Amino acid sequence: MTSGGRPSSPGPRAFLLSCASLLVAALVCAGPLVDGHHRAPAPAQPTERVALTASTQPAGLADAIARIDAMGRSSRAEYGVAVFDRTTGQLTLGEEGAVAFFSASVVKLFTVVDILHRTETGAAKLTPAQHTQIQRALSLSDDKAMDALWHQFGGPRTVSEMITLAGLRDTRPPDRPGEWGETRLSPQDVLAVYQYAMTSLNPQNRDTVLQSLSTAGPAGADGFNQSFGLLRNPRLGGVAAKQGWMIDRSHMYLHSTGMVGPNHRYLVAVLSKQPASVGWAAGRQRLDTAIGTLTGSPGLLGAGGIPGSAM
């Protein structure tokens, strides 16, 4: 894929958001490392917004995120990190937690959540084939399935609807409508979509998302090894994840996002932009290191009780 560009990152500013709200709501976006297309739904209607707020700093978590930020500065890479504790309401962002990256396949989650929201409003009715495409887009990161959903349900319009419904701050549709992997989204916006799926979709649709993400295989439909980051072996307890990977000119986008812990307590997003010369194997190892830094911190696994044993 050729570059659609992305905003330059701000200077170091590791934040901890106390009483800062990240608005969550309904709907979906567009896709990852290949592309897709459309069907026009009813206009998006804002749903009740759920604020992700922060209160007290979890011990060690901000320091762990700062170490990931430092990894980027020392390796000509960029890492966007966000963690949300669904029990305490604590949102913690790294230096690029509010910076937009190319989405690669992470946007598949946005698209699926949007489509499922439409079924709840009567704007869409899914065929058995579309149900299968939704499951494959999430569990196997199947580009062909995403292409079909993107074409049938509005393409970039699904991204715009998600921005409106979820109050997303940093997400933008792709400049080239067919290139869903060039959607721009930030780590904090990714967490807003996960939180919406968990709190605002009806139980059946929520379970569709959870089941698909929880059964993500070791390889994507294209054979790419997606056992890295949150899906590394052995897997963390309660993990449900959507990965992303894409080469754009001289850059490699490699992302790991999802939910971990008892009752999916923690929402985690680590987005990365690395030199393509690093190679996939080394890039995956860097994501393993980043996720290990988070889950090994007292603020997350150490004090939060995410079992480290294989599922």
Side-chain angles (χ1 to χ4, degrees):
M1 299 175 67
T2 57
S3 175
R6 66 166 273 233
S8 58
S9 61
R13 53 188 181 103
F15 335 76
L16 183 84
L17 297 187
S18 316
C19 299
S21 48
L22 186 113
L23 301 177
V24 182
L27 245 59
V28 78
C29 190
L33 38 153
V34 193
D35 73 320
H37 301 213
H38 168 220
R39 180 216 295 173
Q45 297 298 319
T47 61
E48 181 180 356
R49 294 176 175 178
V50 180
L52 305 186
T53 59
S55 50
T56 58
Q57 177 173 353
L61 181 56
D63 289 341
I65 292 177
R67 291 199 295 274
I68 299 172
D69 291 336
M71 280 173 51
R73 291 193 295 273
S74 65
S75 62
R76 296 187 300 117
E78 298 178 44
Y79 295 93
V81 186
V83 177
F84 180 66
D85 184 333
R86 299 179 60 237
T87 298
T88 66
Q90 178 71 48
L91 172 67
T92 311
L93 302 182
E95 293 173 356
E96 299 198 34
V99 170
F101 290 69
F102 275 164
S103 67
S105 289
V106 173
V107 75
K108 290 170 181 169
L109 172 70
F110 287 48
T111 298
V112 166
V113 174
D114 178 43
I115 293 168
L116 294 175
H117 168 78
R118 293 184 197 182
T119 67
E120 296 177 9
T121 64
K125 184 174 182 179
L126 301 180
T127 66
Q130 288 167 336
H131 277 289
T132 298
Q133 288 162 352
I134 282 173
Q135 293 165 351
R136 289 184 62 83
L138 293 183
S139 63
L140 296 174
S141 204
D142 190 324
D143 293 335
K144 291 182 180 179
M146 177 62 176
D147 286 344
L149 296 170
W150 182 257
H151 283 279
Q152 294 163 8
F153 290 93
R157 182 172 179 178
T158 63
V159 181
S160 299
E161 289 177 348
M162 176 59 92
I163 293 167
T164 299
L165 291 169
L168 302 181
R169 298 174 174 182
D170 314 305
T171 298
R172 298 292 180 272
D175 293 335
R176 299 183 297 169
E179 298 290 351
W180 39 262
E182 294 179 3
T183 298
R184 294 174 180 81
L185 46 79
S186 67
Q188 69 173 354
D189 279 359
V190 174
L191 299 194
V193 175
Y194 276 110
Q195 179 70 348
Y196 174 78
M198 293 297 290
T199 61
S200 298
L201 289 180
N202 69 34
Q204 180 179 356
N205 285 334
R206 181 193 64 218
D207 289 348
T208 293
V209 173
L210 276 175
Q211 176 68 12
S212 299
L213 295 176
S214 298
T215 57
D222 62 357
F224 186 87
N225 178 5
Q226 63 173 353
S227 296
F228 63 90
L230 289 169
L231 293 183
R232 72 191 191 281
N233 291 317
R235 292 193 179 179
L236 297 167
V239 70
K242 183 72 202 76
Q243 312 283 65
W245 54 90
M246 181 177 84
I247 291 286
D248 178 70
R249 297 183 182 177
S250 62
H251 293 107
M252 171 176 68
Y253 292 86
L254 197 60
H255 309 321
S256 188
T257 75
M259 303 175 278
V260 292
N263 299 314
H264 306 289
R265 174 176 174 175
Y266 298 100
L267 308 183
V268 179
V270 178
L271 309 184
S272 75
K273 178 183 179 182
Q274 306 180 44
S277 59
V278 168
W280 291 121
R284 283 191 288 260
Q285 188 166 8
R286 288 179 173 184
L287 266 289
D288 288 349
T289 298
I291 294 295
T293 299
L294 290 176
T295 58
S297 73
L300 200 52
L301 182 141
I306 299 176
S309 58
M311 295 178 65

Coordinates of all heavy atoms in Angstrom, one line a residue, residues 131-142 145 212 221:
H131 N -22.6 -13.1 8.7 CA -22.2 -13.5 10.1 C -20.8 -14.2 10.0 O -20.0 -13.9 10.9 CB -23.2 -14.5 10.6 CG -24.4 -13.8 11.3 ND1 -24.3 -13.1 12.4 CD2 -25.7 -13.7 10.9 CE1 -25.5 -12.6 12.7 NE2 -26.4 -13.0 11.8
T132 N -20.7 -15.1 9.0 CA -19.4 -15.8 8.9 C -18.3 -14.8 8.6 O -17.2 -14.9 9.1 CB -19.5 -16.8 7.8 OG1 -20.5 -17.8 8.2 CG2 -18.2 -17.5 7.6
Q133 N -18.5 -13.8 7.7 CA -17.5 -12.8 7.4 C -17.1 -12.0 8.6 O -15.9 -11.7 8.8 CB -18.1 -11.9 6.3 CG -18.1 -12.6 4.9 CD -19.0 -11.8 4.0 OE1 -19.7 -10.9 4.3 NE2 -19.1 -12.3 2.7
I134 N -18.1 -11.7 9.4 CA -17.8 -10.9 10.7 C -16.8 -11.8 11.6 O -15.8 -11.3 12.1 CB -19.1 -10.6 11.4 CG1 -19.7 -9.4 10.8 CG2 -18.8 -10.3 12.9 CD1 -21.1 -9.0 11.3
Q135 N -17.1 -13.0 11.7 CA -16.3 -13.9 12.6 C -14.9 -14.0 12.0 O -13.9 -14.0 12.8 CB -17.0 -15.3 12.8 CG -18.3 -15.2 13.5 CD -19.1 -16.4 13.4 OE1 -18.8 -17.3 12.6 NE2 -20.2 -16.5 14.2
R136 N -14.8 -14.2 10.7 CA -13.5 -14.4 10.1 C -12.7 -13.1 10.1 O -11.5 -13.1 10.2 CB -13.7 -14.9 8.7 CG -14.1 -16.4 8.6 CD -14.2 -16.9 7.1 NE -12.9 -16.8 6.5 CZ -12.0 -17.8 6.6 NH1 -12.2 -18.9 7.4 NH2 -10.8 -17.7 6.0
A137 N -13.4 -12.0 9.9 CA -12.6 -10.7 9.9 C -12.0 -10.5 11.3 O -10.9 -9.9 11.3 CB -13.6 -9.6 9.6
L138 N -12.6 -10.9 12.4 CA -12.1 -10.7 13.7 C -11.1 -11.8 14.1 O -10.0 -11.5 14.6 CB -13.2 -10.6 14.7 CG -14.1 -9.3 14.6 CD1 -15.1 -9.3 15.8 CD2 -13.3 -8.0 14.6
S139 N -11.5 -13.0 13.9 CA -10.6 -14.1 14.5 C -9.4 -14.4 13.6 O -8.3 -14.7 14.1 CB -11.5 -15.4 14.6 OG -12.0 -15.8 13.4
L140 N -9.6 -14.4 12.3 CA -8.5 -14.7 11.3 C -8.0 -13.5 10.6 O -7.1 -13.6 9.7 CB -9.0 -15.7 10.3 CG -9.4 -17.1 10.8 CD1 -10.0 -17.9 9.8 CD2 -8.2 -17.8 11.5
S141 N -8.5 -12.3 10.9 CA -8.1 -11.1 10.2 C -8.2 -11.3 8.7 O -7.4 -10.8 8.0 CB -6.7 -10.6 10.6 OG -6.6 -9.2 10.4
D142 N -9.3 -11.9 8.3 CA -9.5 -12.2 6.9 C -9.8 -11.0 6.0 O -10.8 -10.3 6.2 CB -10.7 -13.2 6.8 CG -10.8 -13.9 5.4 OD1 -10.6 -13.2 4.4 OD2 -11.2 -15.0 5.3
A145 N -13.0 -11.2 3.8 CA -14.2 -11.0 4.5 C -14.4 -9.5 4.8 O -15.5 -9.0 4.7 CB -14.1 -11.8 5.8
S212 N -15.3 -14.2 18.8 CA -14.5 -14.1 17.6 C -13.1 -13.7 18.0 O -12.1 -14.2 17.6 CB -15.0 -13.1 16.6 OG -16.3 -13.5 16.2
A221 N -5.7 -15.4 8.2 CA -6.1 -16.1 7.0 C -5.1 -16.0 5.9 O -5.0 -16.9 5.0 CB -7.4 -15.4 6.5

